[in-house]
Amino acid sequence: MSTTNPEILFQKLYGNDEAGSITIHSPVHQTPNGTFYLIAPGVVLLARPQVSMQGLAGFLSGFDPSLHFSSYLEDPTPLPDGAQLCKVAGQVCYMSFGPKRTQNDQAKRYFDNLKSSGHGSVFEHANFSLLFYGISRSVTHELIRHRAGFGYCLTGDTLIYSTKWDHGKPSGSKKRRLDDLYAMTKTHHGRSRIKLLRLRCLDEQTGTFTTGKVKSITCSGVKPVFKVTLADGKSITATKEHRFLTEDGWQPLQEIVGSLSVSPSGYAIYEKSDATIMVNGQFMYKDATWLYEHYVTKGLSQEDMASIAGVSKHTIRAWISKHGLQKPLGSWTIGVSPWNTGKQYKTGRVLSEKERAKLSEHMKGENNHRWPRLIPRPVKIVSIHYAGEQMTYDIEMEAPNHNFVANGIITHNSQLSQRYVSGRMLRFVERPEYRVDEQLHQQFLARIERANEEYATLTNRLLEMQQAGVNILGAEARTDLRKKVQQAARSVLPNETEAPIVVTANARAWRHFIEMRASSHAEIEIRELAVRAFLCLQKADPVLFDDYVLERLSDGTYTVKTEFQKV
């Protein structure tokens, strides 16, 4: 293991863009049949902080001249904007703008002191947006599981649903504010309690609600947020990038409503007035679609359906009748004998009034082992209001279900979806192991060519089947049809399919990402991405990331370390 100069490695990988850009490009290759693929991650710095020193000067000029605050602005070697923003934010707290705070050597000591003491809250003011490409769907799944501070955030007053426990048994649900959960992470006792929490989440395999463990809870800094109100009275305040479950899958809020921006007068502007999102939840046995699928299409018995839904078969029968889904009279009894033929019964012990009341309380609601199972239901968005800039927080859930119920609404985070991307834009990513072995490389080429061909064949066939409908429907409907076709065809795409993603995070969250994903213990694909992200971030703002050391491992890959972990 040897230490490497980050500047030298950056220059080696740099894409030679126009002056001022910070980019590590990834070259695009083609198979003999024209399928595109990439062999390394590409990273583009899209946005970084910009500080108005003129505005700061106006603020400082309003104080007693004997304080010499004006000298703060006279530093001949100003800091990068990100570091300057963080430094100003920290100094506003104590109004420490005297002359001794102006020089860069003092600034370095200031930041080193923050890093060594773990006081990283000021780092949350500097946001950086990176475009990642040349990464596979496997990597983006890993990336979005690393949710902490990464742009998909909720405000502190959001209520998170968890299971209450009584003597080791579930005893109903409890709602906690998200900022209260975050506060628990600051104490040893609180962290131990968080490990015991079981948050309500959606099992995407069964379509029913279950519980999951919390991996981490993070403060993501101050961000612009929007209050979303639903027709059933539920509301939630989130960033426009935050993902919610819809009838068409997971989508960011801004895509659900077409677009989302703020007018000069402070009003939220969006396109769709009939958008819906999924909430928690509707009883499975009451849902006509679920009943039809399982009773009519799949042909399950009412008893089997009752077992799945967590109710009695008599309840299933009643709701089948209510929705008019009965089968022809007598068809369900063919070949079936009554289960209680020949049985005799005895009257059991009569419970006292006190015993009945206790049993009733014990079996009430979700305490009942046969409590009906819930499935998501769509509810219309009736209004969106810009709620200004507020402190935001996020939760990272452990596998397998990376979502949680917030304010009764199902939330997740964001990445590219093949549902909205044409097959003409398909590209694939070759893993590092395949690049050094000719047999694995050739197998990879054959596999992606086959996947590309199968995807094209499927989409063409599905479009042919729907061609009559396309001639009748309008332009908007044709767009919806194309999405449905691509959604059906994407099942043949491998995890090696490229999935570009734009990620916005504050400096504190990026530091945590680097320490977790550029570690020698991280999976090699995401480690390669994290190292390149680090190189771009350090190039953009050396002060905020100057404590990291880049090391070359024996296999030729790199890892990043720092003595100031978890700032």
Side-chain angles (χ1 to χ4, degrees), residues 392-407:
T392 58
Y393 303 84
D394 212 348
I395 297 177
E396 181 181 5
M397 299 289 288
E398 289 191 358
N401 301 308
H402 300 287
N403 64 80
F404 57 96
V405 175
N407 285 10

Side-chain angles (χ1 to χ4, degrees), residues 515-534:
E515 289 158 29
M516 295 289 291
R517 300 307 193 187
S519 162
S520 59
H521 303 291
E523 196 274 334
I524 188 170
E525 273 194 293
I526 201 166
R527 173 153 50 90
E528 189 173 23
L529 172 66
V531 167
R532 291 178 176 225
F534 155 70

Side-chain angles (χ1 to χ4, degrees), residues 220-273:
S220 306
V222 176
K223 297 181 180 179
V225 293
F226 297 82
K227 182 179 180 181
V228 181
T229 303
L230 306 183
D232 64 355
K234 291 184 176 68
S235 65
I236 192 167
T237 305
T239 59
K240 64 182 180 181
E241 298 88 2
H242 199 88
R243 298 180 80 202
F244 297 95
L245 184 63
T246 72
E247 292 180 283
D248 294 324
W250 297 103
Q251 295 183 35
L253 176 61
Q254 60 187 348
E255 290 187 12
I256 294 172
V257 295
S259 66
L260 185 55
S261 59
V262 182
S263 71
S265 54
Y267 290 95
I269 303 173
Y270 53 100
E271 296 178 4
K272 296 182 181 178
S273 60

Side-chain angles (χ1 to χ4, degrees), residues 203-433:
D203 184 336
E204 297 186 57
Q205 297 297 318
T206 64
T208 60
F209 288 95
T210 182
T211 58
K213 294 181 180 180
V214 175
K215 188 171 184 179
S216 66
I217 304 172
T218 310
C219 176
S220 306
V222 176
K223 297 181 180 179
V225 293
F226 297 82
K227 182 179 180 181
V228 181
T229 303
L230 306 183
D232 64 355
K234 291 184 176 68
S235 65
I236 192 167
T237 305
T239 59
K240 64 182 180 181
E241 298 88 2
H242 199 88
R243 298 180 80 202
F244 297 95
L245 184 63
T246 72
E247 292 180 283
D248 294 324
W250 297 103
Q251 295 183 35
L253 176 61
Q254 60 187 348
E255 290 187 12
I256 294 172
V257 295
S259 66
L260 185 55
S261 59
V262 182
S263 71
S265 54
Y267 290 95
I269 303 173
Y270 53 100
E271 296 178 4
K272 296 182 181 178
S273 60
D274 58 349
T276 62
I277 57 178
M278 307 299 282
V279 305
N280 162 56
Q282 177 165 286
F283 289 129
M284 183 181 288
Y285 69 90
K286 293 183 179 181
D287 187 74
T289 302
W290 185 87
L291 291 170
Y292 184 88
E293 178 186 357
H294 288 77
Y295 189 56
V296 178
T297 305
K298 295 183 178 180
L300 296 186
S301 69
Q302 295 177 4
E303 189 170 8
D304 288 340
M305 292 170 63
S307 177
I308 295 172
V311 295
S312 70
K313 64 180 180 181
H314 309 293
T315 300
I316 294 293
R317 183 179 300 122
W319 282 90
I320 285 175
S321 176
K322 185 170 294 188
H323 289 298
L325 301 176
Q326 302 98 320
K327 294 179 180 179
L329 186 64
S331 62
W332 64 276
T333 63
I334 297 174
V336 177
S337 300
W339 66 273
N340 58 352
T341 300
K343 289 187 176 292
Q344 296 181 346
Y345 301 92
K346 291 182 180 180
T347 302
R349 182 175 69 85
V350 178
L351 299 177
S352 67
E353 190 69 28
K354 185 177 180 180
E355 288 174 321
R356 283 200 299 271
K358 184 177 180 180
L359 180 62
S360 176
E361 182 65 28
H362 179 70
M363 299 294 284
K364 186 180 294 183
E366 294 186 34
N367 300 340
N368 192 328
H369 68 284
R370 289 188 66 82
W371 177 247
R373 294 179 176 88
L374 295 169
I375 55 177
R377 62 185 176 90
V379 178
K380 183 180 177 180
I381 296 174
V382 295
S383 68
I384 300 178
H385 294 94
Y386 178 56
E389 294 190 350
Q390 298 186 34
M391 188 64 72
T392 58
Y393 303 84
D394 212 348
I395 297 177
E396 181 181 5
M397 299 289 288
E398 289 191 358
N401 301 308
H402 300 287
N403 64 80
F404 57 96
V405 175
N407 285 10
I409 299 168
I410 308 166
T411 72
H412 209 309
N413 36 339
S414 184
Q415 73 176 107
L416 176 144
S417 170
Q418 254 72 43
R419 185 174 187 267
Y420 301 103
V421 178
S422 164
R424 295 175 60 190
M425 303 176 193
L426 278 181
R427 302 193 301 189
F428 300 87
V429 179
E430 185 175 18
R431 285 187 59 87
E433 297 91 338

Side-chain angles (χ1 to χ4, degrees), residues 4 14 28 32 63 89 150 156 177-178 256 278 291 297 314 333 354 442 476 547:
T4 301
Y14 180 58
V28 180
F63 291 90
F150 276 75
R177 285 176 58 108
L178 184 48
I256 294 172
M278 307 299 282
L291 291 170
T297 305
H314 309 293
T333 63
K354 185 177 180 180
Q442 293 301 325
E476 182 176 351
D547 52 298

